[in-house]
Amino acid sequence: MEIVGLTGSIAMGKSTVARLIGRARIPVHDADACVHRLFARGGAAVAPVGRAFPGVIRDGSVDRNRLGSLVIGDAGRLRQLEAIVHPLVRADRDRFLARHRRRRSRLVVLDVPLLFESGGDAVCDTVLVVTAPAYLQRQRVLARPGMTAQRLADILRRQMPDRAKRRRADVVIHSGLGLAATSRELARWLAGRRRRP
């Protein structure tokens, strides 16, 4: 089974590429979706996050906005949160991989925003990085509700620079020329995987 890591900095188009991969019937483990499940009512992260960050639990789930206001810009509190969440996400990922090994899946994708930063690339056979021009990235991010230039700067400080990710990638997919161009680029790469023995 080939394990492909999919990553890219904020607003580079990684989620769009992940959706395209899913439509091609390739199993995708989405780390962000996993965190949402962990933070939802009954999720495994709710109790430990509530103990570590009093006041962030609302109606039995983690209030991500409240939590974000406590950890963004505070490296110590962010590390404290990651120490709770990352092992839970890794355990979920490992169950996903074990399930697809049993099913003899030929190819699976791990969609992880901080793949390199968290060391997740160590379990991958191939790493695919999605990229776009910096001006377009900024445009996309600042169009999001509640996003500010300061918040973007804080997020980018936590992420490996795009150029460094591209240097470490096995495959680079460009998302700056529109969905059709991105789809074609991804389709060419997938066609090559399917021809492999």
Side-chain angles (χ1 to χ4, degrees):
M1 182 174 79
E2 182 178 6
I3 302 171
V4 175
L6 171 65
T7 194
S9 297
I10 185 170
M12 287 298 195
K14 177 188 62 61
S15 297
T16 298
V17 170
R19 278 194 298 276
L20 293 170
I21 290 170
R23 283 184 201 152
R25 298 177 181 267
I26 294 165
V28 178
H29 182 269
D30 181 336
D32 271 350
C34 177
V35 172
H36 278 278
R37 290 192 303 274
L38 291 169
F39 282 1
R41 183 189 292 272
V46 174
V49 168
R51 284 192 296 271
F53 302 92
V56 302
I57 306 303
R58 180 181 288 175
D59 298 326
S61 62
V62 176
D63 183 324
R64 292 169 68 96
N65 289 329
R66 263 190 211 179
L67 182 62
S69 69
L70 293 177
V71 302
I72 289 178
D74 185 330
R77 301 214 82 184
L78 183 61
R79 280 194 299 273
Q80 186 182 6
L81 176 63
E82 288 172 343
I84 296 167
V85 175
H86 284 184
L88 296 171
V89 174
R90 278 195 297 270
D92 191 75
R93 175 204 69 192
D94 291 346
R95 287 191 294 271
F96 167 87
L97 292 173
R99 186 165 64 250
H100 285 285
R101 282 193 183 98
R102 287 194 301 273
R103 292 177 183 173
R104 300 189 183 279
S105 299
R106 290 185 62 193
L107 176 70
V108 296
V109 173
L110 305 179
D111 174 359
V112 188
L114 300 176
L115 183 75
F116 291 123
E117 295 86 341
S118 65
D121 57 311
V123 303
C124 299
D125 303 301
T126 304
V127 174
L128 194 156
V129 168
V130 185
T131 188
Y135 79 87
L136 187 56
Q137 176 192 35
R138 185 174 180 81
Q139 218 174 67
R140 289 170 176 172
V141 176
L142 294 180
R144 295 179 181 182
M147 186 56 74
T148 63
Q150 181 57 55
R151 193 158 182 212
L152 172 59
D154 289 338
I155 291 167
L156 290 176
R157 264 196 297 277
R158 285 178 47 221
Q159 296 188 343
M160 181 182 290
D162 178 57
R163 65 184 175 279
K165 288 181 180 175
R166 283 185 275 118
R167 277 199 302 270
R168 291 181 62 174
D170 298 298
V171 181
V172 176
I173 299 287
H174 299 86
S175 76
L177 296 174
L179 183 59
T182 303
S183 298
R184 285 193 299 271
E185 199 172 337
L186 180 65
R188 282 194 297 272
W189 177 73
L190 286 175
R193 304 332 277 167
R194 286 173 173 145
R195 283 195 297 269
R196 291 176 66 175

